[in-house]
């Protein structure tokens, strides 16, 4: 009996190591954290620039800086979670998130606005997907794919819930007061959830697989790891740039802003749908094939959007298909470490892996807009992004992470 209990604590298969409150609490905090700290910004940014006179480029740069901070802070966050668990990290992140929004709301000038978003970057690193993935991977292993699927399905609802809510608040109050109200909601939902739901004992790390190196440092310096990082980074750049550029692509082709927004929104619905299919895909494919295939499908849907001028219904279908691929790629990234190197050093290795991909995602909107201008339009940009995805696919195949 002792051996079984010890095994359960290590793998997350025992009741003691899989607290029931964790998954619903993290679903709620992911919806709230993403919805308020991330998705409220594009809704409120026009009001921010109109009220303050700050340029949209400057305010967007502040937001991108937050994403960059989150990328590099995530490495340290992952290491802490590996050793101490998620409770302190994610609770602190919630507090920082509330403080950052209050700073943004009260910012009298652009430097203070930037400071608020830099603080928000630390909050993102401590509360978004990576720490939640690390928590569930340790507590739920070896059934962590199911838990990760559930939490990403919940996270996919963040924009659905908070974009309309933010717009409704902004219709009745200033952007500063809207951010203040959102900060209160963030505090009310995420701080107690992280404090009370994540207090269960943190299971000991499982022993490393005999087929892998037991040193996280050695893994992170290995060729397979950096080939994986390179392929996912290229893919993240292509995907992020395509998402941001979809609306201007459709407007350039003569569709209305409303039609373009609906196409983008339905693509988000496709993302949620796609995530429901990942467990089946994972059960039937090897990691190299799965990685290369999903990245390649991302390139195919991007190229199709570049080449198909219409009709509108076809473009909507392509947007939904692209969203389904994006949804699977999120889970591909979440399981990339455990599929290859086990769960022993998941937090640290996933933080290192996420740093370049998050950086690429942060830079993609600016780079995409610049490329569209230099290439002669958004269809040409989408062709270029499809080529980037093809390069990412070839990189994934050349990494030879494990045997097929």
């Amino acid at each position: 009996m002792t051996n079984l209990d010890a095994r359960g604590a290590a793998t997350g298969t025992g009741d003691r190591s899989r607290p029931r409150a964790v998954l619903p609490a993290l679903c709620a905090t992911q919806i709230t954290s993403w919805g308020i700290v991330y998705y409220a910004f594009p809704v409120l940014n026009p009001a921010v620039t109109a009220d303050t006179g700050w340029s949209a480029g400057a305010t967007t740069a502040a937001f991108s800086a937050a994403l960059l901070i989150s990328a590099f802070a995530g490495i340290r966050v992952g290491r802490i979670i590996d050793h101490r668990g998620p409770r302190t990290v994610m609770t602190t992140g919630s507090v920082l998130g509330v403080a950052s929004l209050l700073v943004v709301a009260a910012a009298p000038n652009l430097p203070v606005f930037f400071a608020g978003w830099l603080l928000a970057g630390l909050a993102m690193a401590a509360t978004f997907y990576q720490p939640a993935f690390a928590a569930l991977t340790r507590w739920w292993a070896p059934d962590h794919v199911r838990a990760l699927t559930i939490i990403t399905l919940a996270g996919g609802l963040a924009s659905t819930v908070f974009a309309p809510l933010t717009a409704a608040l902004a219709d009745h109050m200033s952007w500063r007061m809207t951010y203040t109200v959102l900060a209160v909601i963030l505090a009310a939902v995420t701080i107690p959830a992280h404090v009370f739901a994540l207090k269960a004992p943190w299971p000991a790390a499982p022993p490393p697989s005999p087929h892998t190196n037991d040193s996280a440092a050695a893994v992170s310096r290995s060729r397979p790891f950096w080939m994986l990082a390179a392929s996912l980074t290229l893919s993240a750049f292509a995907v992020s740039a395509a998402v941001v550029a979809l609306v201007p692509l459709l407007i350039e082709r003569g569709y209305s802003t409303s039609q373009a927004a609906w196409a983008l929104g339905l693509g988000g619905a496709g993302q949620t749908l796609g995530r429901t299919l990942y467990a089946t895909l994972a059960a039937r494919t090897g990691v190299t094939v799965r990685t290369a295939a999903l990245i390649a499908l991302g390139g195919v849907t991007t190229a199709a959007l570049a080449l198909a001028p219409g009709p509108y219904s076809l473009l909507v279908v392509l947007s939904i298909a692209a969203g389904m691929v994006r949804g699977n790629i999120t889970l591909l990234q979440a399981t990339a470490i455990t599929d290859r190197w086990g769960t022993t050093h998941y937090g640290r290795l996933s933080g290192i892996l996420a740093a370049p991909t998050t950086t690429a995602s942060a830079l993609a909107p600016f780079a995409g807009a610049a490329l569209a201008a230099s290439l002669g339009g958004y269809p040409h940009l989408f062709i270029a992004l499809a080529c980037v995805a093809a390069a990412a696919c070839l990189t994934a195949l050349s990494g030879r992470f494990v045997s097929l």
Side-chain angles (χ1 to χ4, degrees), residues 111-310:
V112 176
F113 187 81
F114 260 85
W117 280 110
L118 294 180
L119 190 61
L122 297 176
M124 292 176 184
T127 59
F128 278 11
Y129 276 146
Q130 291 305 319
F133 288 164
L136 292 177
T137 296
R138 179 73 65 87
W139 266 317
W140 255 254
D143 193 28
H144 55 280
V145 172
R146 182 179 66 87
L148 296 179
T149 300
I150 291 171
I151 200 170
T152 54
L153 287 173
L157 297 174
S159 60
T160 305
V161 173
F162 280 96
L165 175 61
T166 301
L169 290 172
D171 285 340
H172 296 89
M173 58 186 70
S174 70
W175 69 268
R176 295 182 187 275
M177 184 56 66
T178 299
Y179 261 130
T180 301
V181 172
L182 291 175
V184 172
I185 296 173
L186 185 69
V189 174
T190 66
I191 294 176
H194 289 151
V195 168
F196 295 110
L198 304 182
K199 65 181 181 179
W202 186 234
S209 167
H211 303 295
T212 62
N213 195 311
D214 61 355
S215 167
V219 170
S220 66
R221 291 194 297 265
S222 67
R223 180 178 182 271
F225 183 89
W226 284 107
M227 294 296 282
L228 172 63
S231 63
L232 292 180
T233 299
L234 289 170
S235 175
F237 178 88
V239 167
S240 297
V243 169
V244 175
L246 179 61
V247 170
L249 171 73
L250 296 186
I251 291 174
E252 187 174 295
R253 284 181 165 157
Y255 296 101
S256 69
T257 301
S258 177
Q259 287 176 310
W262 270 106
L264 179 62
L266 290 171
Q271 186 169 303
T272 299
L273 175 62
R275 287 169 179 164
T276 66
L277 307 176
Y278 185 79
T280 300
L281 179 65
R284 298 182 178 180
T285 58
V287 291
T288 303
V289 169
R290 185 161 63 252
T291 302
L294 286 174
I295 292 173
L297 285 172
V300 169
T301 56
T302 301
L305 285 166
L307 298 174

Side-chain angles (χ1 to χ4, degrees), residues 8 63 74 89 100 152 179 294 311 320 351 371 376 400:
F63 183 70
V89 168
S100 70
T152 54
Y179 261 130
L294 286 174
I320 293 172
L371 283 171
R400 299 183 183 276

Side-chain angles (χ1 to χ4, degrees), residues 42-65:
V43 176
L44 292 177
N45 195 42
V48 173
T49 56
D51 178 57
T52 62
W54 304 333
S55 70
T59 55
T60 304
F63 183 70
S64 292

Side-chain angles (χ1 to χ4, degrees), residues 72 77 235 274 328 371:
F72 294 102
V77 165
S235 175
N328 278 279
L371 283 171

